[in-house]
PDB file of all heavy atoms in Angstrom:
ATOM      1  N   ALA A   1       0.832  -1.208   0.000  1.00 98.00           N
ATOM      2  CA  ALA A   1       0.000   0.000   0.000  1.00 98.00           C
ATOM      3  C   ALA A   1       0.861   1.251   0.000  1.00 98.00           C
ATOM      4  O   ALA A   1       0.645   2.188  -0.781  1.00 98.00           O
ATOM      5  CB  ALA A   1      -0.926  -0.021   1.208  1.00 98.00           C
ATOM      6  N   LEU A   2       1.848   1.292   0.873  1.00 98.00           N
ATOM      7  CA  LEU A   2       2.710   2.460   0.975  1.00 98.00           C
ATOM      8  C   LEU A   2       3.546   2.652  -0.287  1.00 98.00           C
ATOM      9  O   LEU A   2       3.762   3.789  -0.742  1.00 98.00           O
ATOM     10  CB  LEU A   2       3.625   2.324   2.193  1.00 98.00           C
ATOM     11  CG  LEU A   2       2.930   2.444   3.555  1.00 98.00           C
ATOM     12  CD1 LEU A   2       3.829   1.937   4.663  1.00 98.00           C
ATOM     13  CD2 LEU A   2       2.516   3.896   3.811  1.00 98.00           C
ATOM     14  N   LYS A   3       4.030   1.562  -0.850  1.00 97.00           N
ATOM     15  CA  LYS A   3       4.843   1.638  -2.058  1.00 97.00           C
ATOM     16  C   LYS A   3       4.055   2.200  -3.235  1.00 97.00           C
ATOM     17  O   LYS A   3       4.629   2.760  -4.178  1.00 97.00           O
ATOM     18  CB  LYS A   3       5.383   0.260  -2.423  1.00 97.00           C
ATOM     19  CG  LYS A   3       6.369  -0.324  -1.414  1.00 97.00           C
ATOM     20  CD  LYS A   3       7.723   0.333  -1.486  1.00 97.00           C
ATOM     21  CE  LYS A   3       8.748  -0.383  -0.631  1.00 97.00           C
ATOM     22  NZ  LYS A   3      10.084   0.267  -0.687  1.00 97.00           N
ATOM     23  N   ALA A   4       2.714   2.051  -3.178  1.00 97.00           N
ATOM     24  CA  ALA A   4       1.874   2.455  -4.302  1.00 97.00           C
ATOM     25  C   ALA A   4       1.386   3.895  -4.211  1.00 97.00           C
ATOM     26  O   ALA A   4       0.793   4.398  -5.175  1.00 97.00           O
ATOM     27  CB  ALA A   4       0.664   1.521  -4.399  1.00 97.00           C
ATOM     28  N   LEU A   5       1.626   4.562  -3.093  1.00 98.00           N
ATOM     29  CA  LEU A   5       1.053   5.892  -2.875  1.00 98.00           C
ATOM     30  C   LEU A   5       2.132   6.966  -2.871  1.00 98.00           C
ATOM     31  O   LEU A   5       3.161   6.820  -2.199  1.00 98.00           O
ATOM     32  CB  LEU A   5       0.287   5.917  -1.557  1.00 98.00           C
ATOM     33  CG  LEU A   5      -0.942   5.003  -1.498  1.00 98.00           C
ATOM     34  CD1 LEU A   5      -1.502   4.945  -0.081  1.00 98.00           C
ATOM     35  CD2 LEU A   5      -2.021   5.482  -2.476  1.00 98.00           C
ATOM     36  N   PRO A   6       1.896   8.062  -3.566  1.00 95.00           N
ATOM     37  CA  PRO A   6       2.924   9.100  -3.687  1.00 95.00           C
ATOM     38  C   PRO A   6       3.158   9.915  -2.417  1.00 95.00           C
ATOM     39  O   PRO A   6       4.211  10.548  -2.288  1.00 95.00           O
ATOM     40  CB  PRO A   6       2.390   9.995  -4.809  1.00 95.00           C
ATOM     41  CG  PRO A   6       0.900   9.802  -4.779  1.00 95.00           C
ATOM     42  CD  PRO A   6       0.699   8.370  -4.378  1.00 95.00           C
ATOM     43  N   ASP A   7       2.218   9.919  -1.491  1.00 95.00           N
ATOM     44  CA  ASP A   7       2.347  10.745  -0.284  1.00 95.00           C
ATOM     45  C   ASP A   7       3.296  10.154   0.752  1.00 95.00           C
ATOM     46  O   ASP A   7       3.665  10.849   1.708  1.00 95.00           O
ATOM     47  CB  ASP A   7       0.980  10.936   0.387  1.00 95.00           C
ATOM     48  CG  ASP A   7       0.093  11.914  -0.365  1.00 95.00           C
ATOM     49  OD1 ASP A   7       0.628  12.639  -1.227  1.00 95.00           O
ATOM     50  OD2 ASP A   7      -1.114  11.956  -0.089  1.00 95.00           O
ATOM     51  N   TYR A   8       3.668   8.884   0.596  1.00 98.00           N
ATOM     52  CA  TYR A   8       4.363   8.180   1.669  1.00 98.00           C
ATOM     53  C   TYR A   8       5.719   7.652   1.230  1.00 98.00           C
ATOM     54  O   TYR A   8       5.958   7.368   0.051  1.00 98.00           O
ATOM     55  CB  TYR A   8       3.517   7.015   2.173  1.00 98.00           C
ATOM     56  CG  TYR A   8       2.234   7.447   2.835  1.00 98.00           C
ATOM     57  CD1 TYR A   8       1.064   7.599   2.090  1.00 98.00           C
ATOM     58  CD2 TYR A   8       2.189   7.704   4.202  1.00 98.00           C
ATOM     59  CE1 TYR A   8      -0.108   8.011   2.697  1.00 98.00           C
ATOM     60  CE2 TYR A   8       1.015   8.105   4.813  1.00 98.00           C
ATOM     61  CZ  TYR A   8      -0.126   8.262   4.054  1.00 98.00           C
ATOM     62  OH  TYR A   8      -1.285   8.676   4.660  1.00 98.00           O
ATOM     63  N   GLU A   9       6.583   7.483   2.218  1.00 98.00           N
ATOM     64  CA  GLU A   9       7.872   6.840   2.004  1.00 98.00           C
ATOM     65  C   GLU A   9       8.150   5.936   3.192  1.00 98.00           C
ATOM     66  O   GLU A   9       8.175   6.390   4.343  1.00 98.00           O
ATOM     67  CB  GLU A   9       8.979   7.889   1.877  1.00 98.00           C
ATOM     68  CG  GLU A   9      10.327   7.300   1.498  1.00 98.00           C
ATOM     69  CD  GLU A   9      11.341   8.389   1.197  1.00 98.00           C
ATOM     70  OE1 GLU A   9      11.876   8.978   2.159  1.00 98.00           O
ATOM     71  OE2 GLU A   9      11.570   8.663   0.001  1.00 98.00           O
ATOM     72  N   LEU A  10       8.347   4.645   2.928  1.00 98.00           N
ATOM     73  CA  LEU A  10       8.650   3.680   3.980  1.00 98.00           C
ATOM     74  C   LEU A  10      10.139   3.789   4.310  1.00 98.00           C
ATOM     75  O   LEU A  10      10.992   3.439   3.495  1.00 98.00           O
ATOM     76  CB  LEU A  10       8.287   2.271   3.522  1.00 98.00           C
ATOM     77  CG  LEU A  10       8.492   1.137   4.528  1.00 98.00           C
ATOM     78  CD1 LEU A  10       7.796   1.415   5.842  1.00 98.00           C
ATOM     79  CD2 LEU A  10       8.003  -0.181   3.926  1.00 98.00           C
ATOM     80  N   ARG A  11      10.445   4.262   5.520  1.00 98.00           N
ATOM     81  CA  ARG A  11      11.823   4.598   5.868  1.00 98.00           C
ATOM     82  C   ARG A  11      12.456   3.685   6.905  1.00 98.00           C
ATOM     83  O   ARG A  11      13.674   3.705   7.071  1.00 98.00           O
ATOM     84  CB  ARG A  11      11.880   6.044   6.368  1.00 98.00           C
ATOM     85  CG  ARG A  11      11.532   7.064   5.290  1.00 98.00           C
ATOM     86  CD  ARG A  11      11.461   8.472   5.822  1.00 98.00           C
ATOM     87  NE  ARG A  11      11.172   9.419   4.737  1.00 98.00           N
ATOM     88  CZ  ARG A  11      10.793  10.669   4.936  1.00 98.00           C
ATOM     89  NH1 ARG A  11      10.665  11.147   6.174  1.00 98.00           N
ATOM     90  NH2 ARG A  11      10.545  11.460   3.900  1.00 98.00           N
ATOM     91  N   ALA A  12      11.655   2.899   7.622  1.00 98.00           N
ATOM     92  CA  ALA A  12      12.241   2.052   8.664  1.00 98.00           C
ATOM     93  C   ALA A  12      11.349   0.856   8.941  1.00 98.00           C
ATOM     94  O   ALA A  12      10.120   0.933   8.820  1.00 98.00           O
ATOM     95  CB  ALA A  12      12.462   2.846   9.947  1.00 98.00           C
ATOM     96  N   ILE A  13      11.991  -0.237   9.327  1.00 97.00           N
ATOM     97  CA  ILE A  13      11.306  -1.479   9.677  1.00 97.00           C
ATOM     98  C   ILE A  13      11.903  -2.011  10.969  1.00 97.00           C
ATOM     99  O   ILE A  13      13.114  -1.949  11.189  1.00 97.00           O
ATOM    100  CB  ILE A  13      11.445  -2.518   8.549  1.00 97.00           C
ATOM    101  CG1 ILE A  13      10.437  -2.240   7.427  1.00 97.00           C
ATOM    102  CG2 ILE A  13      11.273  -3.944   9.063  1.00 97.00           C
ATOM    103  CD1 ILE A  13      10.589  -3.152   6.233  1.00 97.00           C
ATOM    104  N   SER A  14      11.038  -2.556  11.822  1.00 97.00           N
ATOM    105  CA  SER A  14      11.492  -3.193  13.052  1.00 97.00           C
ATOM    106  C   SER A  14      10.837  -4.555  13.185  1.00 97.00           C
ATOM    107  O   SER A  14       9.630  -4.698  12.966  1.00 97.00           O
ATOM    108  CB  SER A  14      11.141  -2.323  14.268  1.00 97.00           C
ATOM    109  OG  SER A  14      11.383  -3.018  15.472  1.00 97.00           O
ATOM    110  N   THR A  15      11.660  -5.555  13.512  1.00 96.00           N
ATOM    111  CA  THR A  15      11.147  -6.880  13.852  1.00 96.00           C
ATOM    112  C   THR A  15      11.829  -7.324  15.143  1.00 96.00           C
ATOM    113  O   THR A  15      12.662  -6.608  15.696  1.00 96.00           O
ATOM    114  CB  THR A  15      11.414  -7.908  12.729  1.00 96.00           C
ATOM    115  OG1 THR A  15      12.817  -8.163  12.650  1.00 96.00           O
ATOM    116  CG2 THR A  15      10.907  -7.407  11.381  1.00 96.00           C
ATOM    117  N   SER A  16      11.491  -8.501  15.611  1.00 93.00           N
ATOM    118  CA  SER A  16      12.017  -8.951  16.903  1.00 93.00           C
ATOM    119  C   SER A  16      13.469  -9.413  16.827  1.00 93.00           C
ATOM    120  O   SER A  16      14.128  -9.555  17.862  1.00 93.00           O
ATOM    121  CB  SER A  16      11.151 -10.088  17.454  1.00 93.00           C
ATOM    122  OG  SER A  16      11.125 -11.180  16.546  1.00 93.00           O
ATOM    123  N   ARG A  17      13.999  -9.652  15.617  1.00 95.00           N
ATOM    124  CA  ARG A  17      15.383 -10.122  15.465  1.00 95.00           C
ATOM    125  C   ARG A  17      16.091  -9.303  14.391  1.00 95.00           C
ATOM    126  O   ARG A  17      15.505  -8.960  13.364  1.00 95.00           O
ATOM    127  CB  ARG A  17      15.402 -11.611  15.088  1.00 95.00           C
ATOM    128  CG  ARG A  17      14.881 -12.540  16.180  1.00 95.00           C
ATOM    129  CD  ARG A  17      14.960 -13.993  15.752  1.00 95.00           C
ATOM    130  NE  ARG A  17      14.098 -14.269  14.612  1.00 95.00           N
ATOM    131  CZ  ARG A  17      14.546 -14.532  13.397  1.00 95.00           C
ATOM    132  NH1 ARG A  17      15.857 -14.555  13.161  1.00 95.00           N
ATOM    133  NH2 ARG A  17      13.710 -14.783  12.420  1.00 95.00           N
ATOM    134  N   ARG A  18      17.345  -9.027  14.628  1.00 95.00           N
ATOM    135  CA  ARG A  18      18.138  -8.236  13.681  1.00 95.00           C
ATOM    136  C   ARG A  18      18.168  -8.881  12.297  1.00 95.00           C
ATOM    137  O   ARG A  18      18.025  -8.204  11.273  1.00 95.00           O
ATOM    138  CB  ARG A  18      19.568  -8.080  14.221  1.00 95.00           C
ATOM    139  CG  ARG A  18      20.575  -7.525  13.236  1.00 95.00           C
ATOM    140  CD  ARG A  18      20.271  -6.114  12.787  1.00 95.00           C
ATOM    141  NE  ARG A  18      20.329  -5.169  13.886  1.00 95.00           N
ATOM    142  CZ  ARG A  18      20.179  -3.853  13.749  1.00 95.00           C
ATOM    143  NH1 ARG A  18      19.941  -3.352  12.545  1.00 95.00           N
ATOM    144  NH2 ARG A  18      20.249  -3.058  14.791  1.00 95.00           N
ATOM    145  N   GLU A  19      18.316 -10.206  12.260  1.00 95.00           N
ATOM    146  CA  GLU A  19      18.417 -10.888  10.976  1.00 95.00           C
ATOM    147  C   GLU A  19      17.145 -10.716  10.151  1.00 95.00           C
ATOM    148  O   GLU A  19      17.201 -10.430   8.951  1.00 95.00           O
ATOM    149  CB  GLU A  19      18.707 -12.383  11.184  1.00 95.00           C
ATOM    150  CG  GLU A  19      20.044 -12.682  11.833  1.00 95.00           C
ATOM    151  CD  GLU A  19      20.005 -12.510  13.357  1.00 95.00           C
ATOM    152  OE1 GLU A  19      18.918 -12.227  13.912  1.00 95.00           O
ATOM    153  OE2 GLU A  19      21.072 -12.654  13.973  1.00 95.00           O
ATOM    154  N   SER A  20      15.990 -10.897  10.791  1.00 95.00           N
ATOM    155  CA  SER A  20      14.729 -10.783  10.046  1.00 95.00           C
ATOM    156  C   SER A  20      14.464  -9.339   9.649  1.00 95.00           C
ATOM    157  O   SER A  20      13.906  -9.073   8.580  1.00 95.00           O
ATOM    158  CB  SER A  20      13.564 -11.330  10.872  1.00 95.00           C
ATOM    159  OG  SER A  20      13.377 -10.587  12.065  1.00 95.00           O
ATOM    160  N   ALA A  21      14.881  -8.383  10.494  1.00 96.00           N
ATOM    161  CA  ALA A  21      14.694  -6.975  10.157  1.00 96.00           C
ATOM    162  C   ALA A  21      15.523  -6.591   8.937  1.00 96.00           C
ATOM    163  O   ALA A  21      15.038  -5.924   8.012  1.00 96.00           O
ATOM    164  CB  ALA A  21      15.055  -6.101  11.353  1.00 96.00           C
ATOM    165  N   GLU A  22      16.769  -7.015   8.919  1.00 97.00           N
ATOM    166  CA  GLU A  22      17.632  -6.688   7.784  1.00 97.00           C
ATOM    167  C   GLU A  22      17.170  -7.384   6.516  1.00 97.00           C
ATOM    168  O   GLU A  22      17.246  -6.814   5.418  1.00 97.00           O
ATOM    169  CB  GLU A  22      19.075  -7.066   8.122  1.00 97.00           C
ATOM    170  CG  GLU A  22      19.687  -6.171   9.207  1.00 97.00           C
ATOM    171  CD  GLU A  22      21.111  -6.567   9.555  1.00 97.00           C
ATOM    172  OE1 GLU A  22      21.542  -7.665   9.120  1.00 97.00           O
ATOM    173  OE2 GLU A  22      21.781  -5.789  10.257  1.00 97.00           O
ATOM    174  N   ARG A  23      16.678  -8.615   6.663  1.00 97.00           N
ATOM    175  CA  ARG A  23      16.182  -9.342   5.499  1.00 97.00           C
ATOM    176  C   ARG A  23      14.946  -8.636   4.913  1.00 97.00           C
ATOM    177  O   ARG A  23      14.819  -8.484   3.690  1.00 97.00           O
ATOM    178  CB  ARG A  23      15.845 -10.780   5.885  1.00 97.00           C
ATOM    179  CG  ARG A  23      15.503 -11.665   4.696  1.00 97.00           C
ATOM    180  CD  ARG A  23      15.590 -13.134   5.053  1.00 97.00           C
ATOM    181  NE  ARG A  23      14.727 -13.494   6.163  1.00 97.00           N
ATOM    182  CZ  ARG A  23      15.142 -13.841   7.374  1.00 97.00           C
ATOM    183  NH1 ARG A  23      16.445 -13.857   7.646  1.00 97.00           N
ATOM    184  NH2 ARG A  23      14.287 -14.173   8.325  1.00 97.00           N
ATOM    185  N   ALA A  24      14.043  -8.200   5.800  1.00 97.00           N
ATOM    186  CA  ALA A  24      12.839  -7.494   5.341  1.00 97.00           C
ATOM    187  C   ALA A  24      13.198  -6.152   4.716  1.00 97.00           C
ATOM    188  O   ALA A  24      12.625  -5.759   3.684  1.00 97.00           O
ATOM    189  CB  ALA A  24      11.880  -7.298   6.506  1.00 97.00           C
ATOM    190  N   ALA A  25      14.147  -5.432   5.325  1.00 97.00           N
ATOM    191  CA  ALA A  25      14.549  -4.135   4.786  1.00 97.00           C
ATOM    192  C   ALA A  25      15.132  -4.287   3.380  1.00 97.00           C
ATOM    193  O   ALA A  25      14.864  -3.469   2.484  1.00 97.00           O
ATOM    194  CB  ALA A  25      15.548  -3.473   5.720  1.00 97.00           C
ATOM    195  N   LYS A  26      15.910  -5.329   3.179  1.00 97.00           N
ATOM    196  CA  LYS A  26      16.468  -5.584   1.855  1.00 97.00           C
ATOM    197  C   LYS A  26      15.379  -5.965   0.864  1.00 97.00           C
ATOM    198  O   LYS A  26      15.346  -5.471  -0.271  1.00 97.00           O
ATOM    199  CB  LYS A  26      17.514  -6.692   1.936  1.00 97.00           C
ATOM    200  CG  LYS A  26      18.192  -6.992   0.606  1.00 97.00           C
ATOM    201  CD  LYS A  26      19.262  -8.074   0.767  1.00 97.00           C
ATOM    202  CE  LYS A  26      19.941  -8.370  -0.568  1.00 97.00           C
ATOM    203  NZ  LYS A  26      20.988  -9.417  -0.429  1.00 97.00           N
TER     204      LYS A  26
END
């Protein structure tokens, strides 16, 4: 949804583990 809308920019992601957070961010 955010990727499709011009008003928004997804700038950060948080998960419970560093590995999953970095994987999702990539």
Side-chain angles (χ1 to χ4, degrees):
L2 290 165
K3 294 285 188 181
L5 296 171
D7 285 345
Y8 295 90
E9 186 172 78
L10 182 54
R11 294 174 178 166
I13 280 175
S14 171
T15 69
S16 59
R17 294 181 296 110
R18 168 64 64 176
E19 296 81 4
S20 62
E22 291 179 348
R23 188 163 57 249
K26 182 178 180 180

